[in-house]
Amino acid sequence: MKNFFSIFFIAIFACANAQESNETANRFFYELNFKPKKDSTKIDKVMTILDITKTKSIYRDYTVIAQDSIIKIAVEEMQKAGVYKDLSKTIRMPKFSEKIDKFYPDMKVMYVEKVANGFTPLNIGYSENLKFDWKILNDKEKVGSYNTQKATTEFGGRKWTAWFSSDIPFQDGPYKFSGLPGLIVKIEDENKNYSWVLQGNKKVNNFEELSYAEKISGGSSKVTEVSKEKFNNTFSEFKKDPLATARPHLKPEMMSQKMPGSDMTIGELMKKQEKMYKDFYNSNDNPIELEKKVTVGQLEKVGKEKEKK
């Protein structure tokens, strides 16, 4: 029964990446408005959070964390009754699965995603030492209740405008952004594909990065760090076949068994989860960071340099 629940939660909580901590955190809530499809004018939105602790900050989608108590009650009821209940209709799916850590004081960035390793979730990530070339301007503006100043930069193939507040003494911001003399209150690219706006903040006492959902699905603080190239290849393969590593452990006779107290078989559950995964990853083809395109001129330059050698 425990394995069945693990399979279910691996599929539902694609954004689960965490580490336990008992310290106090400053939690900043950013509403993100974004365009999920390149060729569409549709704008979607989600609440994201930046948790700032003494040693690092953690940026992620807030959707699953916000439903933690609901999930806990529902799972405990299932475990007590020994009956499977499909929670996919009650629980909202996150919009983004990545987690981004920035380690103080050097602001080294660790970008983390979750892949499946059999029935167990596995965190893989790559690190970057990013130095944003900010141009701080004299323009000032009130964003909500915050007094802010304007700054611009280029990153990930996009031009960004940020508004930061020196009244909030954290040189941090949503996603990978950091390095301004104050917290970033608002930031968006010039075409408004992605736009974050700070909505509020609160102190979180006895802060634990690991949520209840992550704990019961085998979540771990350990991150397997790989090169960015290997990360992209591994995650790309995972998105093509999310249940590839779990499938060999499921024998045909097991696939025909019904979930406790349900008419759904394990095989049907697996197919449903696979579709959920693929729908989730196919819902956004407009990434924050655009892929770098190599021009003909750049290829010719590389060729000439090789000839000289």
Side-chain angles (χ1 to χ4, degrees):
M1 184 68 178
K2 184 178 178 182
N3 282 342
F4 297 158
F5 281 121
S6 295
I7 297 168
F8 176 75
F9 283 108
I10 288 170
I12 291 290
F13 305 114
C15 74
N17 292 284
Q19 173 183 336
E20 290 190 33
S21 173
N22 292 318
E23 57 190 316
T24 299
N26 288 286
R27 174 167 290 173
F28 294 91
F29 295 86
Y30 288 89
E31 184 178 86
L32 168 60
N33 285 271
F34 65 100
K35 187 193 291 187
K37 293 291 184 180
K38 295 175 186 176
D39 302 324
S40 173
T41 56
K42 179 189 174 185
I43 299 293
D44 206 343
K45 70 178 178 180
V46 64
M47 188 62 72
T48 65
I49 53 171
L50 180 72
D51 289 328
I52 296 180
T53 70
K54 288 182 180 179
T55 57
K56 69 173 185 176
S57 67
I58 308 104
Y59 169 81
R60 52 191 164 159
D61 189 318
Y62 184 54
T63 307
V64 170
I65 301 167
Q67 301 172 94
D68 216 34
S69 59
I70 298 171
I71 295 164
K72 186 175 188 294
I73 292 168
V75 171
E76 287 177 349
E77 285 177 352
M78 278 194 281
Q79 291 173 333
K80 187 177 179 180
V83 174
Y84 169 77
K85 182 181 178 182
D86 185 359
L87 300 183
S88 60
K89 294 178 182 178
T90 0
I91 298 170
R92 290 179 293 114
M93 284 286 286
K95 302 288 185 182
F96 296 93
S97 57
E98 72 268 14
K99 178 176 75 78
I100 295 152
D101 294 335
K102 301 190 201 88
F103 295 91
Y104 301 146
D106 60 357
M107 300 304 284
K108 175 185 171 183
V109 172
M110 176 71 77
Y111 186 100
V112 182
E113 282 280 10
K114 185 179 293 299
V115 296
N117 181 24
F119 295 141
T120 308
L122 174 68
N123 298 323
I124 62 167
Y126 66 86
S127 62
E128 295 177 289
N129 290 305
L130 296 175
K131 300 296 179 186
F132 291 92
D133 182 20
W134 291 108
K135 292 179 176 58
I136 298 178
L137 307 174
N138 293 324
D139 308 54
K140 295 186 178 180
E141 185 176 295
K142 194 92 167 176
V143 178
S145 60
Y146 306 99
N147 297 310
T148 67
Q149 188 169 345
K150 187 178 182 181
T152 60
T153 193
E154 291 187 21
F155 170 70
R158 301 184 191 274
K159 294 180 180 179
W160 300 88
T161 297
W163 296 88
F164 67 94
S165 175
S166 54
D167 295 336
I168 309 173
F170 297 111
Q171 297 185 15
D172 212 327
Y175 192 60
K176 296 179 180 179
F177 298 106
S178 67
L180 285 166
L183 187 74
I184 295 172
V185 170
K186 178 180 178 180
I187 184 165
E188 62 185 11
D189 70 284
E190 65 177 345
N191 294 318
K192 297 189 186 331
N193 287 276
Y194 285 86
S195 176
W196 288 267
V197 180
L198 182 62
Q199 300 295 321
N201 68 286
K202 72 173 185 178
K203 286 269 189 184
V204 180
N205 296 318
N206 300 316
F207 172 72
E208 281 194 354
E209 191 178 333
L210 197 64
S211 68
Y212 174 81
E214 293 164 329
K215 289 174 184 175
I216 65 169
S217 62
S220 169
S221 62
K222 185 178 178 181
V223 176
T224 301
E225 186 175 348
V226 296
S227 68
K228 190 171 184 179
E229 182 181 6
K230 186 174 181 180
F231 172 91
N232 288 334
N233 291 337
T234 303
F235 194 53
S236 178
E237 288 302 311
F238 169 69
K239 288 189 288 186
K240 287 178 187 175
D241 190 359
L243 303 180
T245 59
R247 203 172 286 112
H249 300 281
L250 295 168
K251 296 179 181 180
E253 57 269 25
M254 185 186 291
M255 296 290 277
S256 62
Q257 292 178 12
K258 290 186 178 181
M259 295 296 291
S262 171
D263 290 331
M264 183 183 292
T265 65
I266 294 174
E268 290 169 338
L269 174 65
M270 294 291 285
K271 285 181 181 179
K272 184 173 183 178
Q273 291 179 350
E274 185 172 25
K275 184 178 184 302
M276 286 171 62
Y277 259 129
K278 290 183 176 180
D279 288 347
F280 175 81
Y281 289 119
N282 291 331
S283 64
N284 190 327
D285 68 357
N286 185 26
I288 296 170
E289 297 176 57
L290 301 174
E291 291 182 7
K292 293 181 180 178
K293 294 182 179 179
V294 181
T295 64
V296 174
Q298 288 173 323
L299 289 173
E300 290 176 348
K301 186 179 179 182
V302 171
K304 289 177 182 178
E305 288 175 351
K306 285 184 178 179
E307 287 176 4
K308 287 179 183 179
K309 293 179 181 179

